[in-house]
Amino acid sequence: MTVPAPAPAKRVGLSAGFRQTMTLTWRSLVQIKHNPMELLDLSVQPVMFLLLFTYVFGGAIAGSTGDYLQFALPGLVVQNALFATLTTAIGLNTDITKGVFDRLRSLPIARTAPLAGRIIADTAKQLWALFLFLGIGTILGFRIQTGVAGVLGAVALLLAFALAMSWMSVLIGLKAKDPEKVQIFAFSLMMPLTFTSNAFVPTDTMPGWLQVWVDVNPVTQLADAVRGLLIGGEVAGPAISSLLWAAALAVVFAPLAIRAFRSRT
């Protein structure tokens, strides 16, 4: 008589859940070795935006492309980091639609491990786009004024904010019916948020009524913090505001995203 296999435990401990999450994170990252085209989206868009904004708008806004590049590159880095979170939403929606998560549910792992693993892996992939931005920006004339410590601080702050923002993107990906709806809804949200900030133009060039929103916009706070860390200026105030915004985003959207994930899978 065949003895049935024991049923997997209903709950997974925190340490085991963490190991499973890291395993699935590594699984997502190691795929790049076999399919480097996964980094294409994180390569083409940064280069395109950097060249377009610098050479199309730079002279008109700042008088010279060099001056504008020095101002705008930190803002472009911030915009790209936030837009890159949409990759998580679209990929998650695609995986659920195709039944990938249904297969993972049969494994004796924490139910949130596939979700958290995907988020962490996609956030880590942003390092490629960030250093691509800085590398090409340096070739074009951008100069870091603060040294290695400033660069590492900017990277850490960007990844922390992107990780928190990913929870909102995940919620969109879980609620939308298909990847096309994810893209439409997410872009409708991200575009106004990034373009009504000082990521690309100084705040004082905007109408007074708009400056009120721009000053409290989380993208403005993050762009100011990254500028301070890369080229000098105030850092503490904008960085603290960015971290508070990141904490608020995570507190609000992480539980909603996990609940939506559990109900959909």
Side-chain angles (χ1 to χ4, degrees), residues 3 24-25 35 47 52 54 58 65 78 116 122 140-141 148 174 178 183 186-187 190 196 202 227 240 245 249 257 260:
V3 178
L24 291 172
T25 299
N35 183 22
V47 174
L52 286 176
T54 300
T65 56
V78 169
D122 286 348
L140 297 179
V148 176
L174 291 169
D178 53 63
Q183 193 167 10
F187 267 93
M190 292 291 190
T196 57
R227 282 195 188 97
I240 292 173
W245 271 107
L249 288 168

Side-chain angles (χ1 to χ4, degrees), residues 67-90:
D67 291 340
Y68 183 71
L69 178 65
Q70 200 69 11
F71 170 83
L73 187 139
L76 288 167
V77 169
V78 169
Q79 183 211 39
N80 185 76
L82 299 185
F83 271 73
T85 63
L86 303 185
T87 303
T88 303
I90 295 171

Side-chain angles (χ1 to χ4, degrees), residues 133-170:
F133 250 122
L134 294 177
I136 295 179
T138 300
I139 294 173
L140 297 179
F142 179 78
R143 293 296 177 262
I144 297 171
Q145 306 292 329
T146 55
V148 176
V151 174
L152 294 178
V155 170
L157 183 61
L158 280 166
L159 292 183
F161 196 94
L163 185 62
M165 195 77 171
S166 293
W167 288 108
M168 185 175 71
S169 297
V170 164

